[in-house]
mmCIF file of all heavy atoms in Angstrom:
data_model
loop_
_atom_site.group_PDB
_atom_site.id
_atom_site.type_symbol
_atom_site.label_atom_id
_atom_site.label_comp_id
_atom_site.label_asym_id
_atom_site.label_seq_id
_atom_site.Cartn_x
_atom_site.Cartn_y
_atom_site.Cartn_z
ATOM 1 N N ARG A 70 -6.612 6.086 25.490
ATOM 2 C CA ARG A 70 -5.301 6.334 26.100
ATOM 3 C C ARG A 70 -4.720 7.676 25.636
ATOM 4 O O ARG A 70 -4.144 8.424 26.432
ATOM 5 C CB ARG A 70 -4.373 5.195 25.723
ATOM 6 C CG ARG A 70 -3.065 5.279 26.420
ATOM 7 C CD ARG A 70 -2.280 4.012 26.237
ATOM 8 N NE ARG A 70 -0.935 4.230 26.712
ATOM 9 C CZ ARG A 70 -0.161 3.272 27.182
ATOM 10 N NH1 ARG A 70 -0.613 2.045 27.245
ATOM 11 N NH2 ARG A 70 1.052 3.543 27.586
ATOM 12 N N VAL A 71 -4.877 7.984 24.351
ATOM 13 C CA VAL A 71 -4.419 9.277 23.832
ATOM 14 C C VAL A 71 -5.173 10.410 24.542
ATOM 15 O O VAL A 71 -4.585 11.418 24.928
ATOM 16 C CB VAL A 71 -4.620 9.355 22.304
ATOM 17 C CG1 VAL A 71 -4.522 10.785 21.796
ATOM 18 C CG2 VAL A 71 -3.602 8.465 21.583
ATOM 19 N N ALA A 72 -6.487 10.243 24.722
ATOM 20 C CA ALA A 72 -7.270 11.275 25.411
ATOM 21 C C ALA A 72 -6.743 11.520 26.818
ATOM 22 O O ALA A 72 -6.626 12.670 27.261
ATOM 23 C CB ALA A 72 -8.752 10.872 25.446
ATOM 24 N N GLU A 73 -6.392 10.461 27.512
ATOM 25 C CA GLU A 73 -5.798 10.609 28.853
ATOM 26 C C GLU A 73 -4.477 11.348 28.770
ATOM 27 O O GLU A 73 -4.212 12.276 29.544
ATOM 28 C CB GLU A 73 -5.531 9.227 29.463
ATOM 29 C CG GLU A 73 -6.709 8.594 30.127
ATOM 30 C CD GLU A 73 -6.347 7.210 30.662
ATOM 31 O OE1 GLU A 73 -5.244 7.028 31.202
ATOM 32 O OE2 GLU A 73 -7.180 6.299 30.492
ATOM 33 N N GLN A 74 -3.652 10.930 27.837
ATOM 34 C CA GLN A 74 -2.318 11.531 27.669
ATOM 35 C C GLN A 74 -2.423 13.021 27.328
ATOM 36 O O GLN A 74 -1.605 13.827 27.763
ATOM 37 C CB GLN A 74 -1.599 10.780 26.542
ATOM 38 C CG GLN A 74 -0.160 11.172 26.314
ATOM 39 C CD GLN A 74 0.454 10.325 25.196
ATOM 40 O OE1 GLN A 74 0.530 9.103 25.288
ATOM 41 N NE2 GLN A 74 0.887 10.971 24.141
ATOM 42 N N GLU A 75 -3.469 13.374 26.557
ATOM 43 C CA GLU A 75 -3.664 14.765 26.140
ATOM 44 C C GLU A 75 -4.377 15.589 27.217
ATOM 45 O O GLU A 75 -4.571 16.792 27.047
ATOM 46 C CB GLU A 75 -4.475 14.808 24.845
ATOM 47 C CG GLU A 75 -3.749 14.229 23.645
ATOM 48 C CD GLU A 75 -2.649 15.155 23.111
ATOM 49 O OE1 GLU A 75 -2.911 16.360 22.979
ATOM 50 O OE2 GLU A 75 -1.533 14.675 22.853
ATOM 51 N N GLY A 76 -4.855 14.915 28.275
ATOM 52 C CA GLY A 76 -5.500 15.607 29.380
ATOM 53 C C GLY A 76 -6.923 16.056 29.081
ATOM 54 O O GLY A 76 -7.414 17.013 29.685
ATOM 55 N N ILE A 77 -7.594 15.370 28.156
ATOM 56 C CA ILE A 77 -8.972 15.745 27.814
ATOM 57 C C ILE A 77 -9.986 14.712 28.297
ATOM 58 O O ILE A 77 -11.177 14.830 28.029
ATOM 59 C CB ILE A 77 -9.148 15.975 26.286
ATOM 60 C CG1 ILE A 77 -8.716 14.746 25.479
ATOM 61 C CG2 ILE A 77 -8.370 17.219 25.848
ATOM 62 C CD1 ILE A 77 -9.030 14.842 23.997
ATOM 63 N N ASP A 78 -9.505 13.711 29.025
ATOM 64 C CA ASP A 78 -10.417 12.643 29.456
ATOM 65 C C ASP A 78 -11.407 13.131 30.503
ATOM 66 O O ASP A 78 -12.536 12.647 30.560
ATOM 67 C CB ASP A 78 -9.626 11.424 29.955
ATOM 68 C CG ASP A 78 -8.631 11.770 31.044
ATOM 69 O OD1 ASP A 78 -7.915 12.792 30.902
ATOM 70 O OD2 ASP A 78 -8.564 11.031 32.041
ATOM 71 N N ARG A 79 -11.030 14.119 31.303
ATOM 72 C CA ARG A 79 -11.951 14.595 32.342
ATOM 73 C C ARG A 79 -12.996 15.546 31.769
ATOM 74 O O ARG A 79 -14.150 15.554 32.205
ATOM 75 C CB ARG A 79 -11.188 15.296 33.464
ATOM 76 C CG ARG A 79 -10.462 14.301 34.348
ATOM 77 C CD ARG A 79 -9.524 14.997 35.303
ATOM 78 N NE ARG A 79 -8.737 14.009 36.037
ATOM 79 C CZ ARG A 79 -9.051 13.562 37.244
ATOM 80 N NH1 ARG A 79 -10.108 14.016 37.864
ATOM 81 N NH2 ARG A 79 -8.289 12.664 37.842
ATOM 82 N N THR A 80 -12.598 16.356 30.799
ATOM 83 C CA THR A 80 -13.539 17.337 30.239
ATOM 84 C C THR A 80 -14.422 16.718 29.165
ATOM 85 O O THR A 80 -15.484 17.267 28.859
ATOM 86 C CB THR A 80 -12.775 18.537 29.645
ATOM 87 O OG1 THR A 80 -11.706 18.054 28.835
ATOM 88 C CG2 THR A 80 -12.212 19.417 30.736
ATOM 89 N N GLY A 81 -13.995 15.638 28.587
ATOM 90 C CA GLY A 81 -14.791 14.970 27.560
ATOM 91 C C GLY A 81 -14.172 15.137 26.183
ATOM 92 O O GLY A 81 -13.517 16.142 25.890
ATOM 93 N N TYR A 82 -14.397 14.147 25.375
ATOM 94 C CA TYR A 82 -13.805 14.148 24.034
ATOM 95 C C TYR A 82 -14.678 13.311 23.115
ATOM 96 O O TYR A 82 -15.606 12.628 23.557
ATOM 97 C CB TYR A 82 -12.361 13.612 24.079
ATOM 98 C CG TYR A 82 -12.232 12.212 24.628
ATOM 99 C CD1 TYR A 82 -12.236 11.114 23.795
ATOM 100 C CD2 TYR A 82 -12.139 11.993 26.009
ATOM 101 C CE1 TYR A 82 -12.122 9.824 24.304
ATOM 102 C CE2 TYR A 82 -12.027 10.720 26.530
ATOM 103 C CZ TYR A 82 -12.015 9.635 25.670
ATOM 104 O OH TYR A 82 -11.917 8.367 26.170
ATOM 105 N N ARG A 83 -14.376 13.389 21.837
ATOM 106 C CA ARG A 83 -15.147 12.656 20.837
ATOM 107 C C ARG A 83 -14.210 11.758 20.041
ATOM 108 O O ARG A 83 -13.137 12.204 19.623
ATOM 109 C CB ARG A 83 -15.860 13.643 19.911
ATOM 110 C CG ARG A 83 -16.817 12.986 18.933
ATOM 111 C CD ARG A 83 -17.700 14.025 18.277
ATOM 112 N NE ARG A 83 -18.632 14.589 19.239
ATOM 113 C CZ ARG A 83 -19.227 15.783 19.123
ATOM 114 N NH1 ARG A 83 -19.001 16.523 18.065
ATOM 115 N NH2 ARG A 83 -20.057 16.216 20.054
ATOM 116 N N ILE A 84 -14.638 10.517 19.835
ATOM 117 C CA ILE A 84 -13.926 9.590 18.952
ATOM 118 C C ILE A 84 -14.794 9.447 17.704
ATOM 119 O O ILE A 84 -15.963 9.068 17.803
ATOM 120 C CB ILE A 84 -13.725 8.213 19.619
ATOM 121 C CG1 ILE A 84 -12.900 8.342 20.900
ATOM 122 C CG2 ILE A 84 -13.052 7.245 18.639
ATOM 123 C CD1 ILE A 84 -12.817 7.053 21.710
ATOM 124 N N VAL A 85 -14.231 9.782 16.544
ATOM 125 C CA VAL A 85 -14.990 9.783 15.288
ATOM 126 C C VAL A 85 -14.313 8.865 14.279
ATOM 127 O O VAL A 85 -13.102 8.941 14.072
ATOM 128 C CB VAL A 85 -15.070 11.215 14.705
ATOM 129 C CG1 VAL A 85 -15.743 11.213 13.338
ATOM 130 C CG2 VAL A 85 -15.792 12.153 15.655
ATOM 131 N N LEU A 86 -15.127 8.006 13.655
ATOM 132 C CA LEU A 86 -14.642 7.145 12.576
ATOM 133 C C LEU A 86 -15.509 7.434 11.348
ATOM 134 O O LEU A 86 -16.553 6.787 11.147
ATOM 135 C CB LEU A 86 -14.741 5.671 12.987
ATOM 136 C CG LEU A 86 -13.745 5.246 14.075
ATOM 137 C CD1 LEU A 86 -14.403 4.325 15.084
ATOM 138 C CD2 LEU A 86 -12.538 4.551 13.462
ATOM 139 N N ASN A 87 -15.141 8.420 10.567
ATOM 140 C CA ASN A 87 -15.888 8.719 9.345
ATOM 141 C C ASN A 87 -15.789 7.512 8.421
ATOM 142 O O ASN A 87 -14.685 7.015 8.162
ATOM 143 C CB ASN A 87 -15.321 9.964 8.662
ATOM 144 C CG ASN A 87 -15.567 11.224 9.468
ATOM 145 O OD1 ASN A 87 -16.589 11.357 10.136
ATOM 146 N ND2 ASN A 87 -14.624 12.159 9.432
ATOM 147 N N THR A 88 -16.922 7.047 7.954
ATOM 148 C CA THR A 88 -16.958 5.815 7.156
ATOM 149 C C THR A 88 -17.692 6.087 5.855
ATOM 150 O O THR A 88 -18.921 6.207 5.837
ATOM 151 C CB THR A 88 -17.616 4.680 7.974
ATOM 152 O OG1 THR A 88 -16.931 4.564 9.232
ATOM 153 C CG2 THR A 88 -17.538 3.355 7.242
ATOM 154 N N GLY A 89 -16.914 6.237 4.781
ATOM 155 C CA GLY A 89 -17.481 6.505 3.463
ATOM 156 C C GLY A 89 -17.452 7.983 3.116
ATOM 157 O O GLY A 89 -17.482 8.846 4.003
ATOM 158 N N PRO A 90 -17.403 8.285 1.817
ATOM 159 C CA PRO A 90 -17.296 9.671 1.349
ATOM 160 C C PRO A 90 -18.444 10.548 1.831
ATOM 161 O O PRO A 90 -18.232 11.723 2.161
ATOM 162 C CB PRO A 90 -17.312 9.546 -0.181
ATOM 163 C CG PRO A 90 -16.949 8.126 -0.480
ATOM 164 C CD PRO A 90 -17.384 7.316 0.698
ATOM 165 N N GLY A 91 -19.652 10.002 1.925
ATOM 166 C CA GLY A 91 -20.802 10.791 2.352
ATOM 167 C C GLY A 91 -20.695 11.254 3.789
ATOM 168 O O GLY A 91 -21.357 12.208 4.199
ATOM 169 N N ALA A 92 -19.858 10.577 4.563
ATOM 170 C CA ALA A 92 -19.628 10.954 5.965
ATOM 171 C C ALA A 92 -18.386 11.821 6.106
ATOM 172 O O ALA A 92 -17.980 12.163 7.220
ATOM 173 C CB ALA A 92 -19.500 9.709 6.827
ATOM 174 N N GLY A 93 -17.762 12.140 4.981
ATOM 175 C CA GLY A 93 -16.584 13.013 5.037
ATOM 176 C C GLY A 93 -15.262 12.279 5.060
ATOM 177 O O GLY A 93 -14.215 12.907 5.249
ATOM 178 N N GLN A 94 -15.287 10.950 4.872
ATOM 179 C CA GLN A 94 -14.008 10.229 4.846
ATOM 180 C C GLN A 94 -13.233 10.613 3.585
ATOM 181 O O GLN A 94 -13.770 10.555 2.471
ATOM 182 C CB GLN A 94 -14.220 8.709 4.891
ATOM 183 C CG GLN A 94 -12.898 7.961 5.059
ATOM 184 C CD GLN A 94 -13.068 6.446 5.160
ATOM 185 O OE1 GLN A 94 -14.175 5.903 5.057
ATOM 186 N NE2 GLN A 94 -11.955 5.756 5.356
ATOM 187 N N THR A 95 -11.995 11.016 3.778
ATOM 188 C CA THR A 95 -11.146 11.427 2.647
ATOM 189 C C THR A 95 -9.888 10.577 2.529
ATOM 190 O O THR A 95 -9.270 10.543 1.469
ATOM 191 C CB THR A 95 -10.730 12.907 2.771
ATOM 192 O OG1 THR A 95 -10.036 13.089 4.013
ATOM 193 C CG2 THR A 95 -11.937 13.835 2.705
ATOM 194 N N VAL A 96 -9.499 9.922 3.622
ATOM 195 C CA VAL A 96 -8.324 9.043 3.591
ATOM 196 C C VAL A 96 -8.826 7.627 3.868
ATOM 197 O O VAL A 96 -9.400 7.365 4.937
ATOM 198 C CB VAL A 96 -7.266 9.466 4.636
ATOM 199 C CG1 VAL A 96 -6.079 8.495 4.605
ATOM 200 C CG2 VAL A 96 -6.786 10.894 4.381
ATOM 201 N N PHE A 97 -8.572 6.734 2.910
ATOM 202 C CA PHE A 97 -9.187 5.403 2.994
ATOM 203 C C PHE A 97 -8.225 4.376 3.593
ATOM 204 O O PHE A 97 -7.987 3.296 3.031
ATOM 205 C CB PHE A 97 -9.776 5.031 1.623
ATOM 206 C CG PHE A 97 -10.977 5.903 1.348
ATOM 207 C CD1 PHE A 97 -10.816 7.164 0.776
ATOM 208 C CD2 PHE A 97 -12.239 5.527 1.771
ATOM 209 C CE1 PHE A 97 -11.905 8.004 0.590
ATOM 210 C CE2 PHE A 97 -13.335 6.359 1.590
ATOM 211 C CZ PHE A 97 -13.172 7.606 0.994
ATOM 212 N N HIS A 98 -7.709 4.773 4.746
ATOM 213 C CA HIS A 98 -6.998 3.906 5.697
ATOM 214 C C HIS A 98 -7.641 4.265 7.028
ATOM 215 O O HIS A 98 -7.536 5.424 7.473
ATOM 216 C CB HIS A 98 -5.490 4.207 5.672
ATOM 217 C CG HIS A 98 -4.668 3.393 6.636
ATOM 218 N ND1 HIS A 98 -3.481 2.770 6.276
ATOM 219 C CD2 HIS A 98 -4.833 3.118 7.958
ATOM 220 C CE1 HIS A 98 -2.963 2.135 7.326
ATOM 221 N NE2 HIS A 98 -3.771 2.342 8.358
ATOM 222 N N VAL A 99 -8.313 3.285 7.641
ATOM 223 C CA VAL A 99 -9.144 3.591 8.812
ATOM 224 C C VAL A 99 -8.348 4.375 9.863
ATOM 225 O O VAL A 99 -7.180 4.094 10.128
ATOM 226 C CB VAL A 99 -9.765 2.303 9.412
ATOM 227 C CG1 VAL A 99 -8.716 1.328 9.896
ATOM 228 C CG2 VAL A 99 -10.748 2.638 10.513
ATOM 229 N N HIS A 100 -9.026 5.379 10.440
ATOM 230 C CA HIS A 100 -8.401 6.216 11.467
ATOM 231 C C HIS A 100 -9.493 6.714 12.400
ATOM 232 O O HIS A 100 -10.565 7.100 11.942
ATOM 233 C CB HIS A 100 -7.645 7.397 10.849
ATOM 234 C CG HIS A 100 -8.447 8.155 9.833
ATOM 235 N ND1 HIS A 100 -8.606 7.711 8.530
ATOM 236 C CD2 HIS A 100 -9.163 9.308 9.923
ATOM 237 C CE1 HIS A 100 -9.372 8.550 7.869
ATOM 238 N NE2 HIS A 100 -9.740 9.526 8.693
ATOM 239 N N ALA A 101 -9.196 6.712 13.691
ATOM 240 C CA ALA A 101 -10.104 7.280 14.680
ATOM 241 C C ALA A 101 -9.619 8.680 15.008
ATOM 242 O O ALA A 101 -8.467 8.877 15.416
ATOM 243 C CB ALA A 101 -10.133 6.417 15.939
ATOM 244 N N HIS A 102 -10.498 9.679 14.794
ATOM 245 C CA HIS A 102 -10.199 11.037 15.234
ATOM 246 C C HIS A 102 -10.460 11.105 16.738
ATOM 247 O O HIS A 102 -11.521 10.659 17.195
ATOM 248 C CB HIS A 102 -11.136 12.051 14.579
ATOM 249 C CG HIS A 102 -11.060 12.150 13.089
ATOM 250 N ND1 HIS A 102 -10.452 13.197 12.429
ATOM 251 C CD2 HIS A 102 -11.544 11.334 12.114
ATOM 252 C CE1 HIS A 102 -10.569 13.028 11.116
ATOM 253 N NE2 HIS A 102 -11.230 11.907 10.899
ATOM 254 N N VAL A 103 -9.548 11.699 17.496
ATOM 255 C CA VAL A 103 -9.763 11.997 18.916
ATOM 256 C C VAL A 103 -9.766 13.515 19.033
ATOM 257 O O VAL A 103 -8.750 14.165 18.771
ATOM 258 C CB VAL A 103 -8.665 11.389 19.804
ATOM 259 C CG1 VAL A 103 -8.927 11.716 21.275
ATOM 260 C CG2 VAL A 103 -8.586 9.876 19.598
ATOM 261 N N LEU A 104 -10.937 14.061 19.373
ATOM 262 C CA LEU A 104 -11.140 15.508 19.379
ATOM 263 C C LEU A 104 -11.541 15.974 20.767
ATOM 264 O O LEU A 104 -12.405 15.365 21.403
ATOM 265 C CB LEU A 104 -12.267 15.874 18.412
ATOM 266 C CG LEU A 104 -12.023 15.569 16.939
ATOM 267 C CD1 LEU A 104 -13.315 15.170 16.249
ATOM 268 C CD2 LEU A 104 -11.407 16.774 16.252
ATOM 269 N N GLY A 105 -10.945 17.066 21.224
ATOM 270 C CA GLY A 105 -11.331 17.609 22.516
ATOM 271 C C GLY A 105 -10.570 18.885 22.816
ATOM 272 O O GLY A 105 -9.852 19.415 21.969
ATOM 273 N N GLY A 106 -10.777 19.386 24.034
ATOM 274 C CA GLY A 106 -10.098 20.603 24.453
ATOM 275 C C GLY A 106 -10.958 21.836 24.279
ATOM 276 O O GLY A 106 -10.528 22.946 24.596
ATOM 277 N N ARG A 107 -12.172 21.658 23.761
ATOM 278 C CA ARG A 107 -13.168 22.739 23.681
ATOM 279 C C ARG A 107 -14.532 22.063 23.743
ATOM 280 O O ARG A 107 -14.641 20.856 23.476
ATOM 281 C CB ARG A 107 -13.021 23.548 22.390
ATOM 282 C CG ARG A 107 -13.324 22.781 21.119
ATOM 283 C CD ARG A 107 -13.496 23.710 19.933
ATOM 284 N NE ARG A 107 -13.552 23.035 18.651
ATOM 285 C CZ ARG A 107 -14.626 22.449 18.123
ATOM 286 N NH1 ARG A 107 -15.765 22.401 18.805
ATOM 287 N NH2 ARG A 107 -14.575 21.873 16.933
ATOM 288 N N PRO A 108 -15.586 22.825 24.087
ATOM 289 C CA PRO A 108 -16.921 22.223 24.058
ATOM 290 C C PRO A 108 -17.246 21.794 22.627
ATOM 291 O O PRO A 108 -17.023 22.551 21.679
ATOM 292 C CB PRO A 108 -17.841 23.360 24.514
ATOM 293 C CG PRO A 108 -16.942 24.318 25.230
ATOM 294 C CD PRO A 108 -15.604 24.219 24.551
ATOM 295 N N LEU A 109 -17.761 20.580 22.487
ATOM 296 C CA LEU A 109 -18.074 20.040 21.162
ATOM 297 C C LEU A 109 -19.585 19.985 21.001
ATOM 298 O O LEU A 109 -20.275 19.377 21.818
ATOM 299 C CB LEU A 109 -17.476 18.643 21.000
ATOM 300 C CG LEU A 109 -15.940 18.547 21.112
ATOM 301 C CD1 LEU A 109 -15.502 17.095 21.213
ATOM 302 C CD2 LEU A 109 -15.267 19.227 19.932
ATOM 303 N N GLY A 110 -20.104 20.631 19.979
ATOM 304 C CA GLY A 110 -21.547 20.661 19.767
ATOM 305 C C GLY A 110 -22.088 19.330 19.275
ATOM 306 O O GLY A 110 -21.352 18.480 18.774
ATOM 307 N N TRP A 111 -23.395 19.148 19.463
ATOM 308 C CA TRP A 111 -24.062 17.956 18.943
ATOM 309 C C TRP A 111 -25.424 18.365 18.412
ATOM 310 O O TRP A 111 -26.120 19.114 19.091
ATOM 311 C CB TRP A 111 -24.211 16.891 20.035
ATOM 312 C CG TRP A 111 -24.709 15.612 19.434
ATOM 313 C CD1 TRP A 111 -26.006 15.162 19.415
ATOM 314 C CD2 TRP A 111 -23.932 14.648 18.719
ATOM 315 N NE1 TRP A 111 -26.082 13.990 18.721
ATOM 316 C CE2 TRP A 111 -24.828 13.649 18.283
ATOM 317 C CE3 TRP A 111 -22.584 14.556 18.368
ATOM 318 C CZ2 TRP A 111 -24.405 12.552 17.517
ATOM 319 C CZ3 TRP A 111 -22.174 13.467 17.632
ATOM 320 C CH2 TRP A 111 -23.071 12.481 17.218
ATOM 321 N N PRO A 112 -25.831 17.917 17.230
ATOM 322 C CA PRO A 112 -25.076 17.042 16.335
ATOM 323 C C PRO A 112 -23.945 17.780 15.637
ATOM 324 O O PRO A 112 -23.996 18.995 15.520
ATOM 325 C CB PRO A 112 -26.133 16.577 15.323
ATOM 326 C CG PRO A 112 -27.124 17.700 15.289
ATOM 327 C CD PRO A 112 -27.167 18.250 16.679
ATOM 328 N N PRO A 113 -22.948 17.027 15.172
ATOM 329 C CA PRO A 113 -21.846 17.665 14.446
ATOM 330 C C PRO A 113 -22.380 18.244 13.134
ATOM 331 O O PRO A 113 -23.392 17.790 12.615
ATOM 332 C CB PRO A 113 -20.863 16.527 14.198
ATOM 333 C CG PRO A 113 -21.677 15.294 14.273
ATOM 334 C CD PRO A 113 -22.805 15.567 15.211
ATOM 335 N N GLY A 114 -21.677 19.203 12.572
ATOM 336 C CA GLY A 114 -22.126 19.844 11.327
ATOM 337 C C GLY A 114 -22.096 18.899 10.145
ATOM 338 O O GLY A 114 -21.533 17.853 10.185
#
Side-chain angles (χ1 to χ4, degrees):
R70 186 169 169 153
V71 164
E73 277 178 40
Q74 186 178 299
E75 293 286 315
I77 56 173
D78 54 316
R79 285 170 186 264
T80 47
Y82 59 93
R83 187 167 291 157
I84 299 172
V85 175
L86 290 139
N87 292 326
T88 306
Q94 188 178 3
T95 58
V96 178
F97 290 86
H98 179 134
V99 62
H100 49 280
H102 298 255
V103 180
L104 296 146
R107 66 166 170 82
L109 299 169
W111 188 262

